[in-house]
Amino acid sequence: MADSFWDVNTFGKHLRQHAETPFEWGVNDCCLNAANSIQSHTGVDIASDFRGRYTDEASAFALIKTVTGGQTVGDAAAYCAKKHPGASPSA
């Protein structure tokens, strides 16, 4: 794991670097932006099962159903959270 605790300056730098990156499904969307932040600080890619495997909203939700059995972004977030070694057993 890269860092046990997130450094505010490092996180701010990450956000500034990606602030102008255009939205693109499966590459730079809301969910992957959060996952990218986690990966940049911990080295763990919690979104590896999703990254690059969808290109629009419909394919994103189809992939959520395939990977998680769920239907919502919340289902995908819960699935991804469990992949992180720091996740609590109830996550």
Side-chain angles (χ1 to χ4, degrees):
M1 201 182 315
D3 290 319
S4 295
F5 300 98
W6 288 33
D7 175 65
V8 173
N9 292 324
T10 301
F11 185 57
K13 180 180 176 183
H14 171 81
L15 292 176
R16 284 188 302 279
Q17 288 174 334
H18 298 293
E20 300 297 323
T21 304
F23 181 94
E24 183 179 353
W25 287 101
V27 177
N28 186 52
D29 54 48
C30 301
C31 295
L32 289 180
N33 190 19
N36 292 343
S37 296
I38 292 167
Q39 185 178 19
S40 74
H41 284 75
T42 67
V44 177
D45 185 3
I46 63 169
S48 61
D49 294 331
F50 296 92
R51 192 177 300 284
R53 296 184 57 201
Y54 58 95
T55 57
D56 57 22
E57 183 177 8
S59 61
F61 281 97
L63 186 60
I64 289 170
K65 186 172 185 177
T66 298
V67 172
T68 72
Q71 298 181 358
T72 68
V73 172
D75 294 327
Y79 174 88
C80 290
K82 291 177 185 175
K83 293 179 68 176
H84 197 281
S88 68
S90 62

